[in-house]
Amino acid sequence: QPNKWDGFFEDFFTNFKRGYLFVSFNYFLETPKDKKHLKPLFWDETSRFVITPLIRIHPEYQDNMNELGGYFKPILGTTLRYVIIKNIYLETGLFYYPIQKTKLMWDPDFTYGFGISDWRAFKVNFTYGNWIANRFPWNDKEMDYYNFLNGEFTLYLTYSW
């Protein structure tokens, strides 16, 4: 943000620096053939775990007053999505800020979500995600008013053309 570009290279470069660069890797754990103790977690052919470790770097970031807060904000994290059955899933993410002074009031310690999500055509999907300001109990919660109801509920239909 802001992500409008009016054609001047200087504006493009400034806005580009306010985004982030990231590296991640998706690791899929699907129905095991030889590990009988894990089989109860895999109910059908859609069941799986997706583990995604990530590194995110913000070249610049804005502070709590919406002004340039500083340069170089690294974030380390991992996300986990468990597709239980028939594309019904639970997900969570854990995040660590190596430079603590760069952590802002809306930066989460963790995220969570659930829903049913099927990419195939003509499917109705419902998802919920809560990605902002979630804090572990031992950390200060600067946005006390932010809770489950501030997450995002989405209902959508996939189609094909």
Side-chain angles (χ1 to χ4, degrees), residues 11 29 31 45 60 67 101 121 129 137 149:
D11 289 340
L29 179 60
T31 308
E45 68 281 351
E60 287 183 359
E67 296 180 14
K101 69 180 182 178
L149 294 177

Side-chain angles (χ1 to χ4, degrees), residues 5 16 122:
W5 183 44
F16 181 82
F122 306 107

Side-chain angles (χ1 to χ4, degrees), residues 48-66:
R48 69 187 168 282
F49 286 90
V50 182
I51 303 165
T52 307
L54 61 96
I55 299 171
R56 190 180 300 162
I57 307 275
H58 296 254
E60 287 183 359
Y61 63 95
Q62 293 179 319
D63 66 11
N64 293 337
M65 304 306 284
N66 208 22

Side-chain angles (χ1 to χ4, degrees), residues 76-94:
L76 305 175
T78 191
T79 62
L80 171 67
R81 177 178 277 207
Y82 173 35
V83 180
I84 304 165
I85 187 171
K86 303 289 183 206
N87 296 307
I88 298 170
Y89 71 90
L90 299 171
E91 66 183 2
T92 190
L94 302 172

